[in-house]
């Protein structure tokens, strides 16, 4: 395991050797090796010029949103987002994120399960049918690590928390990736983690959100200003305050499909 500061140093100054493209990704998302002083790790490189235009997010801003998500994650201190920076690379400026290795047999905490067989301790969040008409539930575990991710997503207004954007390294940590469509000023929370809707936030969130609010008024806010608009940064603070006031997980919005497609 690389310490966070070492990882940032490696990402910031290392030599990038592109390995290949992640084929199921909709943007130009590349896996690369990064090497500095004899240390080599894998990373994900998302060049700005490979970003697919979206109707609801301004062009060329996704990489900055990825970095912003990391900055907020680091300020929260739950280690949810792998170290992510913005830097120049072989295909121009882009987001560079440390690759998280998962064991071959990774047990996901999110998935489709037979509707009559939702595992104990899991929440069913949506219903589905397969081609034969059999009923399934989209479900996720009532796991405190996922609950942290759900709090984080509410803060960054994540519009794309699908199952595949949650990683499970052998360490037992849970990481979130792909935060390019976050921080919109309108409520766009789209996630599979609706299991706690309306329930009280975890007790640990109270202090964390209070500290986050303070940091947004200081260096964190300044760092986010480099990647987001002033209004977007202000909205982060508003969402933090709203969460602290409500002390509950948010409800799905009415005007927006609340579950990303595909969900996994
Ligand atoms: N840091 C990482 N460590 C390990 N795997 C990763 C990391 N980042 C992304 N991946 C894997 O690569 C896949 C594609 O990456 P990502 O979702 O970020 O790309 P994308 O271009 O935004 O794709 P899409 O728009 O299709 O969701 C992820 O679903 C995940 O499986
Ligand atoms: Mg993705």
């Amino acid at each position: 395991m690389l310490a966070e500061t070492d990882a940032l140093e490696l990402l910031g100054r290392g030599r990038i050797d592109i390995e290949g493209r992640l084929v199921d990704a909709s943007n130009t998302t590349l896996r690369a090796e990064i090497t500095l002083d004899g240390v080599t790790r894998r990373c994900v490189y998302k060049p700005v010029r490979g970003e697919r235009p979206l109707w609801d997010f301004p062009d060329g801003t996704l990489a900055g949103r990825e970095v912003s998500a990391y900055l907020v994650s680091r300020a929260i201190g739950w280690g949810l987002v792998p170290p992510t920076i913005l830097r120049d690379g072989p295909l121009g400026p882009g987001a560079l994120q440390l690759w998280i290795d998962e064991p071959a047999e990774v047990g996901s905490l999110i998935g489709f399960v037979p509707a009559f067989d939702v595992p104990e301790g899991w929440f069913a969040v949506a219903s589905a049918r397969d081609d034969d008409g059999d009923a399934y539930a989209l479900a996720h575990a009532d796991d405190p690590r996922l609950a942290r991710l759900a709090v984080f997503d509410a803060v960054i207004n994540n519009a794309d928390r699908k199952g595949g954007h949650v990683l499970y390294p052998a360490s037992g940590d849970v990481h979130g990736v792909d935060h390019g469509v976050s921080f919109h000023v309108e409520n766009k929370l789209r996630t599979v983690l609706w299991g706690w809707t309306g329930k009280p936030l975890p007790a640990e969130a109270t202090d964390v959100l209070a500290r986050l609010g303070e940091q947004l008024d200081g260096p964190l806010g300044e760092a986010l200003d480099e990647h987001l608009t002033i209004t977007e940064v202000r909205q982060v603070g508003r969402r933090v305050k709203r969460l602290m006031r409500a002390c509950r997980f948010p409800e799905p919005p009415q005007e927006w499909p609340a579950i990303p497609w595909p969900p996994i």
Side-chain angles (χ1 to χ4, degrees):
M1 252 306 267
L2 216 51
E4 185 128 355
T5 46
D6 294 338
L8 291 170
E9 181 84 2
L10 175 64
L11 291 174
R13 296 203 296 119
R15 190 190 69 236
I16 302 170
D17 295 305
I18 292 174
E19 286 186 308
R21 189 174 166 149
L22 294 169
V23 279
D24 59 347
S26 48
N27 299 291
T28 306
T29 299
L30 303 156
R31 196 165 75 167
E33 280 191 339
I34 184 137
T35 305
L36 181 70
D37 300 333
V39 176
T40 300
R41 288 288 187 277
R42 281 205 164 121
C43 64
V44 175
Y45 168 45
K46 295 189 178 182
V48 172
R49 75 162 86 128
E51 291 179 6
R52 180 177 49 109
L54 299 170
W55 67 269
D56 50 353
F57 284 84
D59 289 356
T61 65
L62 306 196
R65 295 172 195 279
E66 296 265 5
V67 176
S68 301
Y70 168 65
L71 294 172
V72 170
S73 161
R74 196 173 61 174
I76 286 179
W78 287 337
L80 295 172
V81 180
T84 313
I85 64 156
L86 197 65
R87 67 164 271 189
D88 207 9
L91 297 175
L96 209 62
Q97 181 176 74
L98 200 66
W99 181 265
I100 301 294
D101 278 316
E102 292 178 292
E105 292 290 312
V106 54
S108 176
L109 299 176
I110 302 165
F112 282 104
V113 294
F116 59 85
D117 202 14
V118 177
E120 212 179 311
W122 282 47
F123 299 117
V125 294
S127 337
R129 282 190 187 276
D130 69 7
D131 293 342
D132 300 327
D134 291 331
Y136 282 81
L138 175 64
H140 69 80
D142 180 6
D143 185 290
R145 296 165 297 174
L146 290 185
R148 285 179 164 190
L149 207 52
V151 173
F152 170 71
D153 285 339
V155 169
I156 69 165
N157 196 14
N158 189 355
D160 201 16
R161 176 64 68 210
K162 47 184 68 162
H165 293 162
V166 183
L167 305 179
Y168 309 92
S171 61
D173 294 332
V174 166
H175 293 293
V177 294
D178 198 0
H179 304 113
V181 289
S182 302
F183 297 102
H184 202 284
V185 288
E186 292 158 28
N187 181 9
K188 289 201 186 276
L189 185 58
R190 244 191 315 179
T191 174
V192 291
L193 301 177
W194 284 118
W196 299 278
T197 292
K199 297 205 170 100
L201 293 179
E204 60 178 350
T206 313
D207 284 352
V208 160
L209 291 173
R211 251 188 297 125
L212 185 63
E214 285 163 20
Q215 292 178 76
L216 282 166
D217 293 331
L220 174 61
E222 282 165 33
L224 292 177
D225 280 341
E226 288 180 31
H227 306 291
L228 304 172
T229 66
I230 292 172
T231 322
E232 285 168 342
V233 177
R234 207 174 291 145
Q235 279 301 119
V236 183
R238 295 224 174 104
R239 285 193 298 272
V240 168
K241 285 208 183 83
R242 221 176 296 137
L243 278 166
M244 283 172 64
R245 220 176 306 127
C247 237
R248 286 177 187 279
F249 285 91
E251 312 268 347
Q254 302 291 307
E255 73 282 7
W256 188 260
I259 294 186
W261 193 260
I264 300 300

